[in-house]
Amino acid sequence: MGEMSSFRLGVIGALFLSVASSVSIVICNKALMSNLGFPFATTLTSWHLIVTFCTLHAAQRFHLFESKSIDMKTVMLFGILNGVSIGLLNLSLGFNSIGFYQMTKLAIIPFTVLLETLFLKKQFSQKIKLSLLVLLGGVGIASVTDLQLNFLGTVLSLLAIMTTCVGQILTNTIQKRLNVSSTQLLYQSAPFQAAILFVSGPFVDHFLTKKNVFAYKYSPIVSAFIILSCIISVSVNFSTFMVIGKTSPVTYQVLGHLKTCLVLAFGYTLLHDPFTIRNIIGILVAILGMGLYSYFCVQDNKKKQSADPSLASQMKDKENTPILGMPDKEAHEAKKSTKVSLV
């Protein structure tokens, strides 16, 4: 019972940290890009990841967490995939209207549900699917405006959806199957994510904005906001891995849409963005959907535990099985290795 209470407190803490840090960084970046004229989003993200890695490296040296070695191929492919997904999302925003980009973000939830159902054999009840539909409808009402389609933008959006979904599913799967914490996985993968964005970021940003990040004149206030954004990003990246590891990719996406609603509300309050009755209705519907999703998830978990008391131990055994279904002999040999591998 004590372990269960501790786990729940950990989940609540991760959710709160994720919401608070994400809303804060969106407001900070919006002020940086919209008000101060710093439009280099992809390059800024690479700086976020560099600062995150440096912070975690310092924490590891002070023994605040124990570094766990993961197979280099697994970490490299995982880091590159996440870096590519960030770049594709930024390109999708650049080649599509705001409305279509919001639709792209909404499509991540159903696509994640589809992938987990097909490949991980995960079951979602009709009530949970209905709550997700209510949530998506509310976010759509609140945030989606115009829908302008073009071939290249559509292709980029589809690729962004696929890489984002696979990356988030792997974030959850690697932590559970290889028994690594969110901090350990982020520490191992951050350098690869940062590297691919640091190299490609200036080109992507120049392609989208027609401006050169290296030719930009950095004023003291812009530099201060960049530093603040990088500091907040440590909490954002850490809480993202923590939430996905403790819950699921779908829950993280549900939380992400709550953040969207909060950003709209804070944008109106702090930055005086235009706000209509449609935004208010959409936010209320989305919050209702999120509440229903949370309630039905709790009810489903209680039913599973009451129906099969041994489910927890079975799930634990299932999570410890190799993802690629290695034979018993190969699995035994893998356990002897000092490194763990997913690929």
Side-chain angles (χ1 to χ4, degrees), residues 19-34:
V19 171
S21 59
S22 295
V23 173
S24 299
I25 201 170
V26 167
I27 294 174
C28 178
N29 288 349
K30 186 169 183 179
L32 181 62
M33 296 177 187
S34 299

Side-chain angles (χ1 to χ4, degrees), residues 18-294:
S18 180
V19 171
S21 59
S22 295
V23 173
S24 299
I25 201 170
V26 167
I27 294 174
C28 178
N29 288 349
K30 186 169 183 179
L32 181 62
M33 296 177 187
S34 299
N35 301 341
L36 300 176
F38 184 85
F40 310 107
T42 308
T43 302
L44 181 62
T45 303
S46 71
W47 297 345
H48 289 170
L49 288 163
I50 291 172
V51 172
T52 297
F53 172 74
C54 292
T55 303
L56 291 177
H57 183 68
Q60 190 269 331
R61 293 297 297 269
F62 281 102
H63 306 290
L64 297 180
F65 74 95
E66 181 182 353
S67 177
K68 187 170 184 178
S69 183
I70 307 175
D71 178 70
M72 184 61 67
K73 182 182 177 183
T74 298
V75 174
M76 185 180 298
L77 292 177
F78 173 74
I80 291 174
L81 176 65
N82 278 281
V84 168
S85 72
I86 294 171
L88 286 171
L89 282 170
N90 286 339
L91 284 172
S92 173
L93 178 58
F95 279 92
N96 293 301
S97 65
I98 297 295
F100 191 80
Y101 176 72
Q102 291 295 338
M103 289 298 295
T104 297
K105 293 171 67 177
L106 291 179
I108 292 175
I109 283 186
F111 197 82
T112 301
V113 170
L114 177 63
L115 288 180
E116 290 195 317
T117 302
L118 291 178
F119 296 103
L120 300 182
K121 309 302 180 184
K122 188 173 181 179
Q123 300 296 321
F124 296 88
S125 68
Q126 295 297 324
K127 291 181 179 180
I128 287 181
K129 291 178 182 178
L130 177 62
S131 66
L132 291 175
L133 185 62
V134 173
L135 170 72
L136 295 177
V139 176
I141 293 171
S143 61
V144 176
T145 53
D146 58 316
L147 290 177
Q148 299 175 6
L149 302 179
N150 65 82
F151 177 76
L152 180 58
T154 302
V155 172
L156 289 172
S157 293
L158 290 174
L159 291 174
I161 291 170
M162 289 188 289
T163 53
T164 301
C165 292
V166 173
Q168 291 180 358
I169 290 173
L170 282 177
T171 300
N172 178 268
T173 304
I174 290 175
Q175 290 186 53
K176 290 184 176 179
R177 298 292 178 88
L178 300 184
N179 194 29
V180 294
S181 69
S182 55
T183 309
Q184 291 167 336
L185 180 58
L186 179 58
Y187 178 61
Q188 295 283 343
S189 62
F192 298 101
Q193 296 183 60
I196 192 169
L197 290 174
F198 188 77
V199 172
S200 64
F203 297 100
V204 173
D205 289 334
H206 180 72
F207 186 73
L208 295 176
T209 66
K210 310 302 180 186
K211 297 180 181 179
N212 188 346
V213 65
F214 301 109
Y216 183 84
K217 293 183 179 180
Y218 294 84
S219 65
I221 188 169
V222 168
S223 300
F225 267 87
I226 290 175
I227 293 172
L228 177 61
S229 178
C230 289
I231 292 173
I232 300 174
S233 72
V234 177
S235 294
V236 173
N237 291 322
F238 175 71
S239 62
T240 295
F241 277 63
M242 185 185 295
V243 169
I244 297 177
K246 288 183 175 294
T247 57
S248 72
V250 173
T251 299
Y252 175 73
Q253 285 300 322
V254 170
L255 190 68
H257 291 306
L258 170 63
K259 297 173 192 174
T260 299
C261 295
L262 291 176
V263 167
L264 288 173
F266 278 109
Y268 172 73
T269 305
L270 301 178
L271 303 177
H272 306 292
D273 290 342
F275 211 65
T276 65
I277 188 65
R278 172 181 169 178
N279 298 129
I280 297 174
I281 294 174
I283 289 174
L284 293 176
V285 173
I287 292 175
L288 173 63
M290 187 200 66
L292 291 173
Y293 173 79
S294 302

